[in-house]
Amino acid sequence: MSAGGFQKVMAHLIRFPEASLDSICAQLEHPNLTERERGQLSKMENDPLVRKFGSKMRYCRKRDALTVLPLSKDRMPSALIDELFHHRFEASTTSTDFVMIGVHFAEFLLSDETSRRMISSGCPSYVPDLLRYELAKAWIVRQRILQPDPALPAGSRLAHTSFRIVDLHYDIPAVDRARNQGKGNPMEPSLRRMKLLFVRTSVRPFYRMFQVDEGLSNFLEAQRDSPDTWKQDSPSCLGDLITLGLCR
Amino acid sequence: MFKNSTLIAAPRFGLEWAQELEEGIVGAIHDGRIDCVEIIPENFFDGRFESFLDVLQKTGVPVAVHGVLLSLGTMEPLREAHLERVMEIAGRVNMVNFSEHLSLTTVDEVDLDALTPLNWTEEVLSAVTEKIRAIQKRVSVPFLFENVSNRFVIPDGDYSETAFMNELMSRTGCGLLLDVTNVHTNSVNFGFDPFAWIDELRLDAVELVHLAGGHYDPEGFLLDSHDNSVCDEAWELYGHLCRKRVPPLTILERTGSFPAFENLSSELARARRESSVELSGVVPRPDAKNIIHAGGVR
């Protein structure tokens, strides 16, 4: 049984507080509404409390999403952020996961072609790296709330239950350190290639970060893709993993 | 008559769990300052805060399980998978009743992100009735629904809010979680007499009461924000209720702007004083000397 037409339309009026009733009905392919329901919805369309409620919920979604993107947020024009969040990201989904919303927003910005073009033309060149870095951090800390990485097999020699590797062209960790030290205006990162490995831990800040080389990165990704070979020794890379405390 | 009313020895007073209050709650359970607890089961999904569930299990303190995401008021079928997850959590504690909000949170995969009012129509009433009956078949304790603070009101329904609630209780035999703060909040925002509103309800169905404090937004709209002390007007409503029926459970909700725990203990102490009314007209059942259905004969 699908939702009643009235409730469907009302939900869209709330979720998209700037949309008109007619545009919502058209988008929903004109759901079956009685005359009374149509009258109720018309009154609600013009009820400032209904619009205010929807706007407040929208504000909460954006606020929670940007909580995990402090570096990116400081270096993107606020009007662009609004456009990307409200008119690109929110148009792509009607479900809210308040725990993962920042992760989902960053993933969307990095994968949606139009969003990437808008960021490329409206922001400094290092902003995608900021998003990749903050996405990796947020993902590893929140990863479905303490669930192990489904890609890692049982009996894995990896000491940590999940990892994420991110490629950067700019020195984002230095920018993050400067921010954490409360150093005034946001600094620009220098050009510096690096691969960062994020692993989840059980103590604050609930992640550890390592700079790894191409060999170690390739080894970890290959092991993840080929769980049957995970228990085999690989002398050179395994030593590095043990040294870093990643492997038993 | 209501099905499976909360059988509990004398009225109990407690707090809704919040992580910031956990240490205080555990201490208060052990020294008797609180004798019941409310949990929102969704907060404990995916193994979160398991240690507190362990405490509840070991102490056996009565627990009101208060869900937030079943979206009771939709026309869709009951979210059975979600209910099962709730029951997994509930199974770990001494659940004495299970409640949900008479509202919407998700409609057809559109998340509304907050408790959203219902249109009080016969169509919605029938749908909610069926959902509650399905819940009652699944759950072994009394089921209650809660009145919410309305962020807006849907015009031109078939019922008033209280008539809708009474009819729902009549059709299902379920109980009522009466949030007196929500009654006060709605009376301020939408202009009605909260005492008369309460008097319209079937008060013998009230199994649990919520008390909380809110604040006004910049436009002067009162929010049920649970971040303030209970206001005098809400206390007056609580006293008004208790003179007619002392609820088996009273829960204080505080989920923000946390004060010292002693302040919350003081509020609970006030709730105990406000409810200390002569139980005139209450007839203890001859076969249950120590169990009183406070406020009336069933």
Side-chain angles (χ1 to χ4, degrees), chain A residues 1-4 6-8 10-12 14-16 36-37 39-40 43-44 47 49-50 52-53 56-58 61 94-99 144-147, chain B residues 45-46 48 73-77 104 107-119 121 123-124 151-158 190 217 219 221 223:
Chain A
M1 177 171 49
S2 63
F6 176 89
Q7 289 186 346
K8 251 192 205 177
M10 179 181 81
H12 280 80
I14 292 168
R15 184 88 186 181
F16 304 103
R36 177 175 74 165
E37 286 172 340
Q40 287 176 304
K43 287 181 183 173
M44 290 173 69
D47 184 347
L49 289 180
V50 174
K52 177 177 168 181
F53 177 55
K56 180 62 189 284
M57 294 305 108
R58 188 175 65 168
R61 292 193 293 273
T94 56
S95 65
T96 311
D97 178 344
F98 274 105
V99 173
R144 285 296 157 201
I145 308 296
L146 307 179
Q147 294 302 313
Chain B
F45 282 0
D46 301 315
R48 286 176 292 198
T74 66
M75 305 300 292
E76 298 153 29
L104 309 168
V107 176
D108 198 30
E109 295 177 1
V110 178
D111 284 336
L112 297 165
D113 304 328
L115 304 172
T116 303
L118 301 187
N119 41 342
T121 63
E123 194 185 13
V124 172
R151 302 299 283 266
F152 54 88
V153 174
I154 300 173
D156 306 329
D158 296 321
F190 300 102
D217 75 7
E219 286 93 37
F221 195 83
L223 298 172

Side-chain angles (χ1 to χ4, degrees), chain B residues 37-94:
Chain B
V37 170
E38 181 175 278
I39 62 170
I40 292 178
E42 287 88 350
N43 285 336
F44 298 87
F45 282 0
D46 301 315
R48 286 176 292 198
F49 310 117
E50 274 207 359
S51 58
F52 185 68
L53 294 180
D54 291 339
V55 168
L56 293 179
Q57 190 172 46
K58 282 182 187 139
T59 58
V61 65
V63 177
V65 175
H66 185 51
V68 296
L69 291 179
L70 260 186
S71 204
L72 212 58
T74 66
M75 305 300 292
E76 298 153 29
L78 179 65
R79 299 174 74 196
E80 293 192 8
H82 186 86
L83 180 61
E84 283 311 307
R85 293 184 77 188
V86 168
M87 288 300 114
E88 273 172 30
I89 302 298
R92 297 185 53 181
V93 301
N94 178 21

